[in-house]
Amino acid sequence: MVTAVEFAILGSGSAGNATLAKTERVNLLIDAGLSAKQLQMRIDQMGLDRIDAILITHEHGDHVRGLKTLLKKSTIPLYATAATAHVLRQSGIEASWKTFDAGQSFSIGDAEIQSFAILHDAVDPVGYVIRSASKNLGIISDAGHVTHSVTQHLQGLHGIYLEANYDDELLAADTKRTWSIKQRISSRHGHLSNKQAAELLENISHPALRQVVLGHLSGDCNCSKIATRIMQDVLTKKGLSHVGICCASQDEPRGWWSL
């Protein structure tokens, strides 16, 4: 029997990031960058009565903001690389820690988790592929450059949550950010642009892909219409117009998408 993976985005953007993924047996929270109050409210809104484990991609505040308070209210195993866990411990986060090395795989219930290293200005950032039976979901956020290893890990997906942080022209024209901040955003350790996300999608898309959700869009330097159109163009050229595309919201949860 094919067991589905379902996912939903609780919120995505510079104000906080959090994703849900569930299989037949486990409910997973990937990152906890919203306030604990917002996290719990949105988890309830999505109909879940429990979280079985939390996976952390990296230690930046917009990915861990609600962790400390959330973990005071309930004991949930917290998965992170050893280096990321060390930084979070130093910030006062107490948890039932489950540490691993980037590139390592591990199981949580009926979900098999494959971690992989990404480039970002964090201590040890990772992305994840979550597998259950024959279905799988890829998650990549806050990555300034797509390496060959990242592309290889994201082959054969049925769904992907993919960062598309900025549009090159909109970032160049932005007057709110200094030149140095723009350089940081567009560097190999910054964020993925629409163009970079589209190139990755072109390399990994295939007929069994079902859903693409674009995340971490800049409110000033990107817009959902531009990002969606660029991805749709890629998929149409490959004859994959059946693939669903949408953008995650900062202000409200979106999903569930069933793979």
Side-chain angles (χ1 to χ4, degrees), residues 94-105:
E94 299 179 1
S96 173
W97 291 98
K98 307 290 184 181
T99 60
F100 59 89
D101 296 325
Q104 185 177 346
S105 61

Side-chain angles (χ1 to χ4, degrees), residues 73-120:
K73 297 179 179 179
S74 56
T75 302
I76 306 171
L78 183 60
Y79 289 75
T81 69
T84 298
H86 176 71
V87 173
L88 293 177
R89 283 191 182 102
Q90 287 186 319
S91 71
I93 293 176
E94 299 179 1
S96 173
W97 291 98
K98 307 290 184 181
T99 60
F100 59 89
D101 296 325
Q104 185 177 346
S105 61
F106 49 92
S107 296
I108 305 174
D110 61 345
E112 181 73 16
I113 316 297
Q114 173 68 60
S115 67
F116 55 92
I118 60 176
L119 295 177
H120 189 53

Side-chain angles (χ1 to χ4, degrees), residues 180-258:
S180 61
I181 292 176
K182 292 181 181 181
Q183 287 294 104
R184 179 258 170 187
I185 291 170
S186 60
S187 75
R188 289 173 64 91
H189 290 82
H191 293 274
L192 291 181
S193 67
N194 289 337
K195 180 181 177 181
Q196 290 171 303
E199 289 173 349
L200 173 59
L201 185 59
E202 183 175 15
N203 288 329
I204 66 172
S205 57
H206 62 109
L209 180 65
R210 288 292 174 264
Q211 184 67 49
V212 176
V213 179
L214 304 175
H216 219 308
L217 273 69
S218 168
D220 300 316
C221 300
N222 206 354
C223 79
S224 59
K225 289 183 178 179
I226 293 175
T228 300
R229 175 180 52 77
I230 291 172
M231 306 307 154
Q232 285 176 332
D233 288 347
V234 167
L235 294 170
T236 299
K237 288 177 182 178
K238 294 191 68 174
L240 301 175
S241 56
H242 67 277
V243 178
I245 304 176
C246 73
C247 294
S249 169
Q250 180 71 90
D251 301 322
E252 61 182 3
R254 290 187 177 170
W256 295 94
W257 294 281
S258 179

Side-chain angles (χ1 to χ4, degrees), residues 141-196:
S141 180
D142 292 46
H145 176 72
V146 178
T147 64
H148 177 71
S149 173
V150 167
T151 302
Q152 290 302 111
H153 277 99
L154 295 176
Q155 295 293 324
L157 297 176
H158 297 96
I160 183 169
Y161 168 72
L162 172 61
E163 178 184 44
N165 180 252
Y166 66 94
D167 178 80
D168 289 296
E169 293 182 3
L170 291 178
L171 179 64
D174 180 62
T175 59
K176 297 179 181 179
R177 291 165 177 79
T178 64
W179 179 85
S180 61
I181 292 176
K182 292 181 181 181
Q183 287 294 104
R184 179 258 170 187
I185 291 170
S186 60
S187 75
R188 289 173 64 91
H189 290 82
H191 293 274
L192 291 181
S193 67
N194 289 337
K195 180 181 177 181
Q196 290 171 303

